[in-house]
Amino acid sequence: MKSLRSEISFNTLASISVVSALIIGLSIYVYEKLYVEFVSAEVDAISVNMAVDLIDYIDEPAGSFNQTGILLRLDEYEYAEAAYIFGNDGTLLSHYIGPAGFKGGLIKPQEKMSPQLSQTDIDKSIATLSIGLHLTSSKVIVVKTVGEEVFPMGRLALVFNLEEALKASRQRYIILVTPSVALLIIISLFISSRAQSRAMRPLNTLIKTMDSVVDDNAYDVKVEEVNKEEMLALSRAFNNMMANIKKQSEANRQKNEMLQKQQSQMERLANFDALTGLPNRQCLMKLLSNELALAQKNSHELGLLFIDLDGFKAINDSFGHDTGDKFLLHISLLMDSALGDNCILGRLGGDEFIVIVRELITPSDLEKIALKLVEVVSQPHIINRLKLDSSASLGLALASECKYSLTNLITNADVAMYKAKDDGKSRFVWFTDEMLARTQRKVLISTRITDALENNAFYLTYQAKVDSDKNITGFETLLRWKDEVLGQVPPGEFIHVAEQTDKISQISLWVLKQLRYEFPLLLEAFGRNVVVSVNLSPHDLNNHNVTQFLLHELDTGKLPASNLEIEITESAYMNNFNVANPFFASLKELGCKLALDDFGTGYSSLSYLTQFDIDTLKIDRNFVSKIGESKQSEMITKTIIDMAKSLNFSVCAEGVETQEQAKFLINQGCNTLQGFLYSRPIPLMELVGKTVNQSQDA
């Protein structure tokens, strides 16, 4: 070795040093480039998955639990520095500092930001970045749209610390490569001592090959292994190094393919319904937006059908979700097969579907499609060996009538669909402006109901019930509402809206609480034996707050159980039989009375009537109003009274308005009469004041 070192000139040593540095530099450069590409692809894939998951939670309050849970996934990534969720207006919704940035986890906007990054810095450096991948010397930043690009719901930005990752990776790689490089240097010194001039030719070839790797990114290269010991070892060392680089490159390629496959799967889940395979709501909105823009540009008509399956809830509740899912899949296949190439069928959710009809020639063509769908759905269906009957209600709307507005078009078709349901189901109905006006009034009523509850705009009235001698035996509590915007709103209107918007139980609670204060005045004015009736909605039977409040008030004596009668319709009783029976049993134990309201309009089956532990049967006003006009109604009324007496029920007839009706009912043995003939619904103070005046006159 001493003789070898003495023979190596300064220039030779310099050349070997340059080559060694080039080899080390090249290998580190190639490795780092591959590493950056892999990290960038991984961060991009992570951001895609998180952006898709944030779709359902972006509209929640800033820093919500769901947003936090998604951002905290980054804890498993050592070099995750930060993440930001922005609203469409650039507002920072949630902020996360990762392991590579600042220990502390998720930072909400209203909390103190990390020392490294202020709110102002975030707005300048992150909030204004365009969608896509951004590489700096020290960071990988990916900005993704939450939701579709056409309908963005916000933006997600991920920041990974590239500098720290590269530093650690570089150290590991140097430790790995150093032995090979050292071997190359030793071999180079040995070769130079033997035949410096001759050895430089293959070395130059090696250098050129290295240059081609850098210039062309061609990692699948080899140098010729010449039949000389020194160059053979050098060439093999180089080829081994390139083989390792190629192997790592292939591993990164496979990982990228896996990430792309996962991204493709996520995109499909985000755009297609998992049960039916049809376009889901998000995809439908994008498709409809594109079709509307194209139709408007080319002056073509576009039709929309909004479909709701009638009776699906009963199928789901009666036969289970497995049967319900198979039924939905079966119906979706039937509808899809009935549509032409110019139609796009999609599932909005539940049992709601829409059909986009492109390049519609005439409105009658849309009617033909709607009629075909009604016929397809209305036939019997065999699911899980069950014969299931169903139908469809369809709303029809045209794009030109709403100036090609996506939101208005869907609203119009939806409104028309509900009109089809109200008209009897299993049909299609065209949208009209009058429907929208009614819908807008319903929305206004729904909004004002909340305000009315908060400001006590509701008030109670009482309609008297009398016996055959016209003596008052009780009252029915009836709710009234006079709104400062809508005026006097009929109960038949606002009760229906309250049931549709799940506000009816809030109203029922208000009635029970108000009755708690008004009951003592009624008892004082009309005696301790007077009975006051209160109606409960079918929704109340399934509302724990209502049922438990009523039982508590009766148990504590704040509502006198012996003077209270609960009225419930027979259809509501049957639809909630399993829930209603235990609740009504508890009411009876406390001494409360029960009345079956509107008898004769629902199930009217003797088989279930014997299962009800009720006190009073109320004859529906539809039968009472036809007394003296219809012999059939008189016969039905007489039969109801005879049946009730045979079951030891008291009978109350509502809607009595004429003396002829009253005489007939009394002659048939009806116990109690209620109607305008005796009293209209009267507010408490007016009712009590009238009683006081009558007493003074007497």
Side-chain angles (χ1 to χ4, degrees), residues 274-566:
L275 175 63
T276 64
L278 296 173
N280 61 14
R281 178 185 293 272
Q282 177 175 304
C283 183
L284 282 170
M285 295 305 102
K286 182 178 180 180
L287 290 172
L288 183 55
S289 176
N290 293 337
E291 293 297 336
L292 283 170
L294 187 62
Q296 186 175 23
K297 178 182 178 181
N298 298 327
S299 299
H300 291 161
E301 184 61 272
L302 183 142
L304 189 70
L305 295 90
F306 200 113
I307 307 167
D308 185 89
L309 302 182
D310 306 320
F312 173 72
K313 184 178 185 299
I315 293 174
N316 229 12
D317 293 344
S318 302
F319 304 110
H321 290 285
D322 177 64
T323 299
D325 287 347
K326 290 181 178 178
F327 176 77
L328 282 177
L329 178 58
H330 172 73
I331 292 296
S332 67
L333 291 173
L334 285 178
M335 291 193 297
D336 195 37
S337 63
L339 298 172
D341 294 337
N342 65 326
C343 299
I344 301 174
L345 173 66
R347 184 186 180 199
L348 287 178
D351 59 350
E352 291 184 340
F353 299 81
I354 67 170
V355 177
I356 304 170
V357 184
R358 299 168 292 190
E359 298 186 7
L360 188 66
I361 306 301
T362 64
S364 62
D365 292 334
L366 195 63
E367 291 184 356
K368 292 177 183 177
I369 296 173
L371 182 60
K372 187 183 296 185
L373 291 175
V374 170
E375 292 174 349
V376 164
V377 177
S378 297
Q379 61 183 322
H381 309 282
I382 305 300
I383 307 294
N384 286 349
R385 298 182 180 180
L386 297 169
K387 184 179 179 181
L388 304 177
D389 294 323
S390 182
S391 62
S393 298
L394 280 72
L396 282 59
L398 297 175
S400 60
E401 294 182 351
C402 62
K403 299 180 180 179
Y404 296 88
S405 167
L406 183 146
T407 302
N408 292 341
L409 179 61
I410 293 177
T411 299
N412 292 353
D414 188 22
V415 168
M417 181 273 292
Y418 278 106
K419 183 63 168 61
K421 281 189 171 294
D422 292 340
D423 288 350
K425 303 178 181 179
S426 189
R427 66 191 65 213
F428 64 84
V429 171
W430 279 99
F431 168 79
T432 63
D433 291 336
E434 290 75 12
M435 294 179 191
L436 185 59
R438 287 194 294 269
T439 301
Q440 290 173 340
R441 177 170 172 81
K442 286 182 179 179
V443 173
L444 181 58
I445 288 174
S446 175
T447 303
R448 298 297 300 170
I449 284 176
T450 302
D451 185 73
L453 287 168
E454 293 175 353
N455 298 295
N456 288 324
F458 290 111
Y459 62 95
L460 300 181
T461 62
Y462 300 89
Q463 187 175 33
K465 298 179 181 180
V466 301
D467 58 17
S468 57
D469 296 324
K470 300 183 181 181
N471 296 316
I472 294 177
T473 60
F475 295 92
E476 180 177 0
T477 307
L478 299 170
L479 185 64
R480 296 293 182 264
W481 176 23
K482 186 173 183 180
D483 187 75
E484 60 182 14
V485 175
L486 299 169
Q488 196 75 37
V489 187
E493 187 176 19
F494 74 77
I495 292 295
H496 180 65
V497 174
E499 289 180 336
Q500 289 182 329
T501 55
D502 294 328
K503 295 180 180 179
I504 188 64
S505 294
Q506 298 178 40
I507 294 177
S508 297
L509 273 175
W510 184 92
V511 170
L512 293 173
K513 290 176 181 179
Q514 186 66 19
L515 191 61
R516 184 174 57 186
Y517 299 110
E518 297 188 7
F519 223 125
L521 294 175
L522 287 170
L523 295 179
E524 183 179 352
F526 296 96
R528 294 292 169 178
N529 294 324
V530 71
V531 176
V532 178
S533 301
V534 177
N535 291 278
L536 287 186
S537 163
H539 298 268
D540 297 333
L541 301 181
N542 293 296
N543 189 293
H544 185 76
N545 292 333
V546 174
T547 56
Q548 293 306 305
F549 177 82
L550 179 56
L551 292 174
H552 177 267
E553 296 301 291
L554 293 171
D555 187 47
T556 57
K558 294 180 180 178
L559 284 174
S562 60
N563 299 97
L564 184 65
E565 182 179 64
I566 301 299

